[in-house]
Amino acid sequence: RPDLAAALRELRAQYEALAARNLQAAEDWYRARCARLHERAARSQEAVRASRREAGECRRQLQARLVEMESLRGAHQSLERQLQELEERHNAEAAGLQDTIGQLEDDLRNTKNEMARHLREYQDLLNVKMALDIEIAAYRKLLEGEETLFNMGSSGLPSLSSLPSPTYSFQPRSFSSST
């Protein structure tokens, strides 16, 4: 029996040593595992903080972009209104200019017609003038012929030769248009 009790004690000591070693190994493994988990948790927390900072920055940028977009939308609408007003004003000016062009074309047509009428009147007056010039020339020839006859016939009459010889001057009449 003593051998058995000693063997059991020895076996018990070995089991207790083995249990202590296993317990120590489990504790070491647990502590290492906890340390790694704490490191991962710290890294994850830092990553979460960085993500939150980044998300906050993104929100701020989004807000800034939204404000900028609203501002640009307002500017765009303002420019669209100005463009529309300018188009309306230019269309009105173009219509006014078209009316003016129509009036000027009518005035030009009227002026051309009036010029044609004046030209016809001028031609008529020129024809009358030429006819009068021809008639005057004919009368001059007649007068010169009669003067010559008169001078020839009066050479026998001394009292008539003392009279000065008649001279005729022509004062042309000017014709003016009634328009």
Side-chain angles (χ1 to χ4, degrees):
R1 285 201 171 198
D3 284 340
L4 198 52
L8 280 174
R9 275 193 297 265
E10 190 178 312
L11 199 58
R12 181 178 233 180
Q14 285 177 357
Y15 277 124
E16 284 179 2
L18 185 61
R21 273 189 306 214
N22 283 342
L23 184 62
Q24 187 63 37
E27 257 185 59
D28 289 343
W29 176 83
Y30 174 76
R31 284 191 189 123
R33 187 78 170 158
C34 280
R36 277 191 306 228
L37 286 176
H38 283 300
E39 284 178 31
R40 275 192 198 164
R43 280 193 303 249
S44 294
Q45 272 186 335
E46 188 57 39
V48 166
R49 284 188 205 118
S51 295
R52 283 183 183 158
R53 282 194 302 267
E54 189 176 337
E57 183 64 30
C58 287
R59 271 191 220 102
R60 282 191 293 278
Q61 287 178 355
L62 179 64
Q63 282 299 110
R65 296 292 184 255
L66 288 174
V67 168
E68 184 179 353
M69 188 174 73
E70 286 300 317
S71 168
L72 290 174
R73 186 175 288 140
H76 179 343
Q77 289 173 350
S78 172
L79 290 173
E80 285 290 329
R81 279 193 305 273
Q82 287 178 357
L83 179 63
Q84 187 176 6
E85 289 170 1
L86 282 174
E87 284 177 352
E88 290 171 359
R89 190 169 59 222
H90 286 294
N91 288 339
E93 287 178 7
L97 291 174
Q98 286 295 335
D99 292 343
T100 303
I101 288 171
Q103 290 173 353
L104 290 174
E105 287 174 348
D106 290 343
D107 290 347
L108 181 64
R109 218 178 354 268
N110 292 339
T111 303
K112 283 182 179 179
N113 291 337
E114 192 174 326
M115 284 179 63
R117 187 176 54 78
H118 284 304
L119 185 62
R120 283 192 301 273
E121 288 178 2
Y122 176 74
Q123 287 292 346
D124 292 343
L125 288 175
L126 191 61
N127 290 338
V128 167
K129 179 190 176 288
M130 289 176 69
L132 288 175
D133 284 345
I134 291 171
E135 198 173 326
I136 289 171
Y139 281 126
R140 273 195 186 139
K141 279 187 181 183
L142 284 174
L143 283 175
E144 285 175 1
E146 281 193 23
E147 201 175 290
T148 306
L149 284 176
F150 185 70
N151 283 340
M152 289 167 100
S154 67
S155 60
L157 297 170
S159 64
L160 288 176
S161 62
S162 64
L163 290 174
S165 68
T167 58
Y168 298 98
S169 67
F170 175 71
Q171 297 289 330
R173 263 192 284 171
S174 63
F175 293 96
S176 65
S177 171
S178 63
T179 55

